[in-house]
Amino acid sequence: MKKRAWIMAGMLMAGLLTGCSGGGTETTEADATAAVTAESTGETETEAQEGENTETESEAADQEPVTILAAAAASLEYSFSEQLIPMFQEQYPWITVEGTYDSSGKLQTQIEEGLDADIFMSAATKQMDALNEEGLVVEETVTDLLENKIVLIVPAGSEGTITSFEEIGNASAIALGDPASVPVGQYSQESLTNLGIWDQIQDKVSFGTNVTEVLNWVAEGSADAGIVYSTDAATTDRVTVVAEAPEGSLAEPVIYPVAVVSASTKQEAANLFLEFLKSDEALAVFESYGFAAR
């Protein structure tokens, strides 16, 4: 009996040792498998990222560096220079975008006179339509991209005496864009004419050569009131918006069209920039500056 008990005890001990040994092996194998899988996955993600970077670098290396010129309305300068151009150049590092900003009428004239621009974006359809009729922009690229509003502004801290477009005549000095070449001036003239005010205020008006000049005159207090785009008014705390143009005072909304210039010798790069401006990410930037996408 004692011998049999010893044998059974030995068998039981062997079984326990075997079970422990088997469990340890399974755990070790599972851990090793997980470690190998994790390591393999990590290497795959890293390799994928490196592959993407290499592909981008390779694409950039295969491209000849090119510089394009965007001729854009003065009211677009902040959005272009601060965000949009850097974003585009990050995506297409071989393309450098330079900007020239002024009234749309001046830019139209410069393009007609041979300005070496590749992209034109105006603050009104009038200038774009004129260039299109002259064959100076690529017709199929013309796109009505954005919408803006014109607003009446006064120097910050002087609110109260002028609260609407109809009251602009209460100002001693008024700043407006020159209707001959500045779209915001053309919109101002249309609105104030339809309100029956335009002729009455002419002896108080100073005409700026672009919207930025009008904004600055009001901001520094050399004009008691002025009309600019809402996006320009939002760039400074030195002016206060007191009113938007009354409904019905403008026949058409304030539209910003964009197109590739026909004479451009870098149309591939120009078209890439145009497509970027039409992208959701670019439109989101425009909207953050107060524009509305069309």
Side-chain angles (χ1 to χ4, degrees), residues 20-282:
C20 291
S21 174
T25 302
E26 289 173 2
T27 302
T28 303
E29 289 175 354
D31 290 345
T33 301
V36 170
T37 301
E39 182 178 359
S40 175
T41 302
E43 288 176 355
T44 301
E45 291 175 355
T46 301
E47 289 171 358
Q49 184 62 49
E50 290 176 350
E52 290 177 6
N53 293 340
T54 302
E55 184 178 349
T56 301
E57 292 170 2
S58 176
E59 184 180 6
D62 291 341
Q63 300 287 340
E64 287 291 330
V66 60
T67 299
I68 62 175
L69 178 64
S75 50
L76 293 165
E77 182 171 4
Y78 288 106
S79 57
F80 268 51
S81 62
E82 292 177 350
Q83 291 201 51
L84 292 168
I85 289 176
M87 286 170 61
F88 175 77
Q89 291 181 159
E90 185 174 355
Q91 292 184 27
Y92 302 95
W94 65 90
I95 303 175
T96 299
V97 181
E98 295 179 348
T100 181
Y101 309 97
D102 211 324
S103 72
S104 301
K106 283 188 178 180
L107 295 174
Q108 173 196 341
T109 299
Q110 290 172 13
I111 291 172
E112 289 169 337
E113 294 176 348
L115 176 67
D116 189 19
D118 303 283
I119 288 282
F120 176 53
M121 189 164 181
S122 62
T125 57
K126 176 182 178 181
Q127 291 76 23
M128 185 66 76
D129 290 344
L131 292 180
N132 194 19
E133 290 173 4
E134 296 166 9
L136 296 178
V137 292
V138 181
E139 184 172 9
E140 57 267 28
T141 67
V142 177
T143 305
D144 289 344
L145 191 63
L146 305 174
E147 186 173 334
N148 209 340
K149 296 181 182 298
I150 61 169
V151 295
L152 178 64
I153 59 172
V154 297
S158 66
E159 303 86 355
T161 58
I162 303 168
T163 61
S164 67
F165 270 59
E166 290 86 348
E167 295 177 346
I168 194 172
N170 293 341
S172 299
I174 301 170
L176 300 174
D178 185 353
S181 61
V182 184
V184 75
Q186 295 158 9
Y187 292 125
S188 301
Q189 182 181 29
E190 179 185 354
S191 178
L192 296 175
T193 297
N194 289 333
L195 294 172
I197 302 170
W198 180 255
D199 292 335
Q200 301 171 17
I201 63 171
Q202 291 309 297
D203 59 341
K204 300 179 179 182
V205 175
S206 295
F207 291 112
T209 59
N210 57 53
V211 69
T212 303
E213 191 169 35
V214 175
L215 179 69
N216 290 338
W217 284 346
V218 178
E220 66 192 21
S222 58
D224 304 314
I227 297 177
V228 298
Y229 297 116
S230 62
T231 52
D232 290 281
T235 64
T236 177
D237 58 4
R238 298 171 62 196
V239 303
T240 298
V241 174
V242 295
E244 291 184 3
E247 186 175 353
S249 65
L250 293 177
E252 300 290 339
V254 178
I255 303 300
Y256 282 57
V258 61
V260 173
V261 178
S262 299
S264 170
T265 58
K266 307 155 189 173
Q267 294 211 9
E268 181 178 355
N271 274 292
L272 285 174
F273 188 54
L274 175 61
E275 290 305 310
F276 168 76
L277 293 177
K278 293 160 60 178
S279 69
D280 289 342
E281 60 181 328

